[in-house]
């Protein structure tokens, strides 16, 4: 299990990457992350929600009321143009970070 | 899922309501319910599923930070108001009543036995013996309950105030000044208890036992009275400055 400290800074990018595949809602995003990392990384519900809230505020995502879930409307999230730009920048940054860390840790 | 709703309400209890907070709660509840049903579908029992969901919630502080919402606890983090000398005088006055009530209550309980013995042995006064015993015990218990609840009520009202170093010094001076009366009270009480054996030796019949119990009751009253008052001063003299009164 990867600690949340190690992943801090990349939660935004991971969520944006999940939403780049299509609109989704809170628990589905969380499940996609857990499944995509073979259970190595799980986002806590409050971390996921606070990250989604920040991304909506920054314009990277749009939130809208979707289908009913157990009697309540689910909030769905849609990746915006700004979100795609941020995701692209994050990908580029990740390649640089990966190169630097690999250089020192895999010598 | 009522348990999740109650849990979430508990997490948000200090958060001022707003549309953003209501939306956050609704979204978190939806995610928690989805998680709960997913856990049930994976074969977990209801309690295991609930445990897994609650264990994965995390801290609402990060949600509040994202929403730019500040919980009401910001008021609580302000420095508490300080205890005034009037407050502590009120508390000591209540302690004085408590000391008298507690001492009297215990003394009455001891004296009840003396009253029962006093009226015992005479067939005409058996009922008087039982009634006086019961009345004294009831009076004693009522006195203890009244004394305790009255002081507790006063003390509870002061719990929100902090002890200051000047209150500390004030209490320490009162405590020091009370050591002489306390010692006199303790010596008088102990002497009364020790001397209670004398009438029991001199007077062979029931009256000797009655006087013994009355003297013990008086001795115990003195000891409890001075010690309870002393503890009232000590409580504030030994409290750390800055901490809330308790």
């Amino acid at each position: 299990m990867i600690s949340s400290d190690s992943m801090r800074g990349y939660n935004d990018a991971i969520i944006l990457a999940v939403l780049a595949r299509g609109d989704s809602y809170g628990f589905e995003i969380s499940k996609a992350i857990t499944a995509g990392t073979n259970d190595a990384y799980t986002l806590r519900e409050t971390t996921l929600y606070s990250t989604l809230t920040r991304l909506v505020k920054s314009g990277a995502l749009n939130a809208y009321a979707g289908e009913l879930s157990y009697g309540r409307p689910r909030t769905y999230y849609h990746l915006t143009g700004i979100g795609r730009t941020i995701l692209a920048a994050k990908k580029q940054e990740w390649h640089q970070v990966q190169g630097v860390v690999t250089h020192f840790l895999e010598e | 899922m009522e348990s999740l709703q109650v849990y979430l309400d508990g997490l948000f209890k200090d958060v001022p309501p707003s549309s953003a907070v209501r939306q956050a709660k609704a979204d978190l509840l939806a995610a928690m319910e989805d998680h709960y049903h997913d856990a049930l579908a994976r074969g977990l029992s209801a309690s295991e599923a609930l445990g897994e969901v609650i264990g994965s919630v995390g801290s609402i502080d990060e949600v509040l930070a994202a929403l730019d919402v500040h919980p009401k606890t910001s008021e609580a983090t302000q420095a508490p108001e300080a205890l005034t000398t009037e407050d502590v005088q009120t508390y000591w006055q209540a302690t004085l009543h408590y000391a008298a009530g507690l001492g009297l209550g215990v003394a009455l309980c001891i004296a009840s036995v003396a009253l029962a013995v006093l009226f015992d042995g005479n067939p005409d006064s058996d009922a008087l013996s039982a009634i006086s015993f019961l009345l004294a015990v009831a009076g004693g218990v009522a006195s203890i309950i009244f004394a305790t609840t009255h002081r507790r009520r006063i003390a509870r009202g002061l719990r929100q105030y902090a002890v200051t170093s000047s209150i500390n010094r004030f209490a320490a001076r009162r405590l020091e000044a009370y050591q002489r009366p306390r010692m006199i009270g303790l010596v008088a009480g102990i002497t009364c208890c020790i001397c209670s054996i004398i009438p029991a030796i001199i007077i062979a019949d029931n009256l000797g036992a009655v006087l013994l119990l009355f003297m013990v009751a008086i001795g115990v009253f003195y000891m409890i009275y001075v010690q309870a008052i002393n503890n009232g001063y000590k409580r504030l003299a030994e409290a750390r400055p800055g901490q809330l009164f308790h």
Side-chain angles (χ1 to χ4, degrees), chain A residues 40-95:
Chain A
Y41 184 53
T42 302
L43 266 183
R44 288 189 175 275
E45 256 116 32
T46 48
T47 305
L48 173 67
Y49 187 76
S50 56
T51 309
L52 287 168
T53 303
R54 275 192 291 101
L55 289 169
V56 169
K57 274 188 178 175
S58 69
L61 299 178
N62 277 337
Y64 62 94
E67 65 182 22
L68 289 180
S69 161
Y70 304 105
R72 295 184 183 83
R74 275 192 179 121
T75 301
Y76 272 72
Y77 297 91
H78 170 77
L79 187 67
T80 64
I82 296 171
R84 288 186 193 283
T85 308
I86 293 171
L87 179 59
K90 276 284 183 185
K91 275 183 184 172
Q92 196 176 0
E93 181 193 287
W94 168 243
H95 288 305

Side-chain angles (χ1 to χ4, degrees), chain B residues 35-138:
Chain B
H35 189 163
Y36 176 74
H37 289 286
D38 180 78
L40 289 181
R42 280 187 278 115
L44 268 62
S45 68
S47 57
E48 287 170 336
L50 195 62
E52 184 181 294
V53 175
I54 287 174
S56 72
V57 169
S59 160
I60 65 150
D61 289 347
E62 53 186 339
V63 174
L64 299 181
L67 294 172
D68 204 20
V69 168
H70 306 286
K72 286 177 194 162
T73 44
S74 55
E75 291 170 17
T77 53
Q78 288 174 2
E81 279 188 54
L83 274 175
T84 63
T85 48
E86 287 79 16
D87 291 332
V88 294
Q89 295 282 19
T90 305
Y91 170 68
W92 287 333
Q93 192 64 34
T95 303
L96 204 68
H97 293 147
Y98 164 75
L102 183 67
L104 184 68
V106 175
L108 272 174
C109 287
I110 297 169
S112 66
V113 182
L115 289 171
V117 173
L118 183 65
F119 298 115
D120 192 33
N122 185 344
D124 298 333
S125 58
D126 271 355
L128 190 62
S129 170
I131 290 168
S132 60
F133 171 77
L134 289 173
L135 282 177
V137 169

Side-chain angles (χ1 to χ4, degrees), chain B residues 46-242:
Chain B
S47 57
E48 287 170 336
L50 195 62
E52 184 181 294
V53 175
I54 287 174
S56 72
V57 169
S59 160
I60 65 150
D61 289 347
E62 53 186 339
V63 174
L64 299 181
L67 294 172
D68 204 20
V69 168
H70 306 286
K72 286 177 194 162
T73 44
S74 55
E75 291 170 17
T77 53
Q78 288 174 2
E81 279 188 54
L83 274 175
T84 63
T85 48
E86 287 79 16
D87 291 332
V88 294
Q89 295 282 19
T90 305
Y91 170 68
W92 287 333
Q93 192 64 34
T95 303
L96 204 68
H97 293 147
Y98 164 75
L102 183 67
L104 184 68
V106 175
L108 272 174
C109 287
I110 297 169
S112 66
V113 182
L115 289 171
V117 173
L118 183 65
F119 298 115
D120 192 33
N122 185 344
D124 298 333
S125 58
D126 271 355
L128 190 62
S129 170
I131 290 168
S132 60
F133 171 77
L134 289 173
L135 282 177
V137 169
V141 171
S143 178
I144 292 168
I145 292 171
F146 179 76
T148 309
T149 50
H150 175 66
R151 191 183 70 149
R152 191 180 296 157
R153 195 172 60 245
I154 299 287
R156 274 194 186 146
L158 298 176
R159 274 185 193 168
Q160 57 188 306
Y161 301 110
V163 177
T164 62
S165 49
S166 66
I167 289 292
N168 244 178
R169 287 193 298 274
F170 182 50
R173 282 197 300 273
R174 293 290 292 265
L175 179 66
E176 195 182 343
Y178 192 68
Q179 288 318 294
R180 189 175 161 79
R182 172 178 170 249
M183 199 49 68
I184 292 169
L186 285 177
V187 169
I190 292 166
T191 307
C192 241
C193 288
I194 292 171
C195 293
S196 67
I197 198 76
I198 297 170
I201 293 169
I202 297 172
I203 308 165
D205 64 5
N206 278 0
L207 190 62
V210 169
L211 288 173
L212 178 144
L213 287 166
F214 273 130
M215 286 180 74
V216 168
I218 292 166
V220 168
F221 171 82
Y222 272 120
M223 287 190 281
I224 291 175
Y225 182 73
V226 293
Q227 199 55 39
I229 292 172
N230 186 71
N231 289 346
Y233 294 131
K234 201 174 171 184
R235 190 167 173 179
L236 280 155
E238 292 183 352
R240 272 186 304 148

